[in-house]
Amino acid sequence: MKLIFMGPPGAGKGTQAQILASHWKIPHISTGDILRACVVAKTALGLKAKAYMDAGELVPDELLMDIVQERMNQPDASAGWILDGFPRTVAQAAFFDKLLCDVSGAGGSTSGKDCALRAVNLEVPDNILVARLLSRGRLDDNEETIRRRLQVYREQTEPLIEFYSARQQLVAVDGDRDMELITAELQQSLSIDS
């Protein structure tokens, strides 16, 4: 089970990823959580990332790629995972595709199936997203920053929908429903292919 959870900020990626990771007993890898932990710990990476996050901008590819590569090499990720918050650009997706095949190949297996993954896109209207994000009460969530993050998402991350759709790896889900309905649909649609 190798899944990427996509969707704009506030779509419910983290919530659904946690539920399903627990259900399937695989790690939920959230680049946002890793970055926030680095910021709190005031690591070199955290200090670099904080300036971008505070401005509502995406953290540069090279910083995220280092984090992801390090995390994917940990033993608990060998049996599968749900990745939340990466990739966010087509360049990152191309890097990740190569990384996945390298990690799979490192275990002695080079079949194309080991490089296969599914990308889940949670679709939610912008007005719902803004309301959800404002209700979270995070320090970096004010309406101006949220709207900037949504704009950045549309410009830089939405092209991933076409990237994964063209590879027949995309699963689109209506994220503006009760959490339980979304979870049930994801379990059903993803379990068929696992």
Side-chain angles (χ1 to χ4, degrees):
M1 187 68 66
K2 295 176 180 174
L3 301 171
I4 293 171
F5 273 55
M6 303 188 319
K13 298 182 297 292
T15 300
Q16 291 298 330
Q18 285 177 339
I19 292 168
L20 295 173
S22 176
H23 175 75
W24 286 315
K25 296 177 178 39
I26 55 177
H28 166 219
I29 302 170
S30 165
T31 53
D33 289 348
I34 295 169
L35 283 170
R36 281 187 286 276
C38 290
V39 169
V40 169
K42 295 187 174 156
T43 65
L45 173 62
L47 294 173
K48 286 181 189 174
K50 185 177 187 315
Y52 293 97
M53 293 164 69
D54 287 349
E57 301 288 337
L58 292 181
V59 174
D61 285 0
E62 57 274 10
L63 293 180
L64 275 181
M65 288 178 189
D66 288 346
I67 288 174
V68 171
Q69 188 160 14
E70 182 178 294
R71 182 61 183 93
M72 297 306 292
N73 287 326
Q74 293 179 12
D76 69 333
S78 64
W81 34 260
I82 297 176
L83 192 55
D84 165 14
F86 185 89
R88 288 190 175 183
T89 64
V90 172
Q92 288 176 2
F95 160 82
F96 188 60
D97 198 49
K98 180 182 181 312
L99 173 67
L100 256 188
C101 293
D102 289 349
V103 168
S104 296
S109 172
T110 55
S111 76
K113 188 174 183 345
D114 291 327
C115 298
L117 62 93
R118 302 301 303 267
V120 176
N121 185 44
L122 293 175
E123 301 170 341
V124 182
D126 281 3
N127 61 325
I128 302 294
L129 296 170
V130 171
R132 283 183 186 178
L133 290 168
L134 286 172
S135 70
R136 281 196 316 202
R138 284 190 188 154
L139 291 177
D140 61 340
D141 285 343
N142 62 61
E143 187 161 354
E144 183 182 343
T145 303
I146 289 167
R147 292 209 179 270
R148 175 64 185 144
R149 286 169 59 201
L150 290 174
Q151 180 185 352
V152 168
Y153 171 80
R154 301 282 179 233
E155 293 167 359
Q156 298 185 28
T157 307
E158 255 185 6
L160 286 175
I161 295 168
E162 179 56 35
F163 178 87
Y164 287 114
S165 181
R167 294 164 158 243
Q168 298 179 333
Q169 294 174 305
L170 186 71
V171 177
V173 176
D174 177 2
D176 187 20
R177 297 178 292 160
D178 287 342
M179 185 175 65
E180 294 80 10
L181 291 174
I182 299 167
T183 302
E185 181 179 337
L186 288 170
Q187 287 175 337
Q188 182 179 18
S189 62
L190 295 171
S191 292
I192 292 167
D193 300 318
S194 60

